[in-house]
Amino acid sequence: MKSYGAIILSTLTLCACASNPNVAAQSNLRAASAVEETERGVALSAIGKAQISAGECGMLLWTLDEDRPQPIFQFISGGKADIMHYGSPEKITLVRASGPGGFGVHQDQEFHTGDGSVMKVSVSFGQGFDGGSYLKQGLITIDSPAGMRSVLPAAGIAGCRG
């Protein structure tokens, strides 16, 4: 079994390569990131240390911030997801999941935040590795009760840690 550090390093490399193929793609990511800004600040920002603990399964997602991958979403199967929502750490509740799944996560998931926002996470399962799978073509959409929509591209991993 690969070490957890090697998996994260591989994922960050994959995120950087998959999300940064040319200048046009960089421009698209910056435009998508600009959509997330509101009067209250940035809808999602880095959560700090993101990991799946021993004995758990879940999903970690990153997006580009200043041309560097930043962890913005952590979901542990059977629990709640961790995000940094408008600058405040928040645990959000999974209310719906559909589509193909593995490692305790599904292709399409819907979460609700404390302020009534609806956060939809859509990913495609990619190449597998020992204990997990890379997630690609991810999209996080947040609809606030006030009618604002934030959209962020994402990539990451889903897996179980022994």
Side-chain angles (χ1 to χ4, degrees):
M1 185 165 149
K2 293 181 182 177
S3 73
Y4 183 68
I7 292 170
I8 292 298
L9 181 59
S10 298
T11 301
L12 288 173
T13 303
L14 177 68
C15 291
C17 292
S19 300
N20 203 3
N22 59 40
V23 174
Q26 289 176 2
S27 176
N28 288 341
L29 289 175
R30 284 188 190 104
S33 294
V35 172
E36 71 181 283
E37 294 183 22
T38 69
E39 304 83 40
R40 296 188 309 170
V42 178
L44 288 181
S45 55
I47 58 173
K49 186 177 181 182
Q51 68 179 23
I52 297 173
S53 298
E56 295 180 323
C57 297
M59 169 172 52
L60 303 173
L61 294 176
W62 291 266
T63 195
L64 285 181
D65 180 27
E66 308 260 340
D67 297 325
R68 292 184 322 221
Q70 295 290 324
I72 58 167
F73 181 86
Q74 174 180 302
F75 173 66
I76 303 302
S77 179
K80 295 189 176 209
D82 292 303
I83 60 172
M84 186 68 72
H85 192 222
Y86 293 110
S88 298
E90 186 171 351
K91 291 193 176 290
I92 58 175
T93 306
L94 176 68
V95 295
R96 189 170 302 122
S98 63
F103 315 105
V105 299
H106 291 269
Q107 181 176 1
D108 297 301
Q109 298 180 103
E110 182 178 311
F111 297 84
H112 290 180
T113 68
D115 72 353
S117 295
V118 175
M119 182 171 151
K120 294 181 181 176
V121 177
S122 175
V123 296
S124 295
F125 286 82
Q127 182 177 357
F129 56 83
D130 188 19
S133 177
Y134 292 104
L135 301 174
K136 58 184 183 173
Q137 300 171 339
L139 193 63
I140 299 173
T141 304
I142 304 170
D143 291 311
S144 76
M148 294 292 294
R149 175 171 276 183
S150 302
V151 180
L152 294 135
I157 61 168
C160 296
R161 189 156 180 230

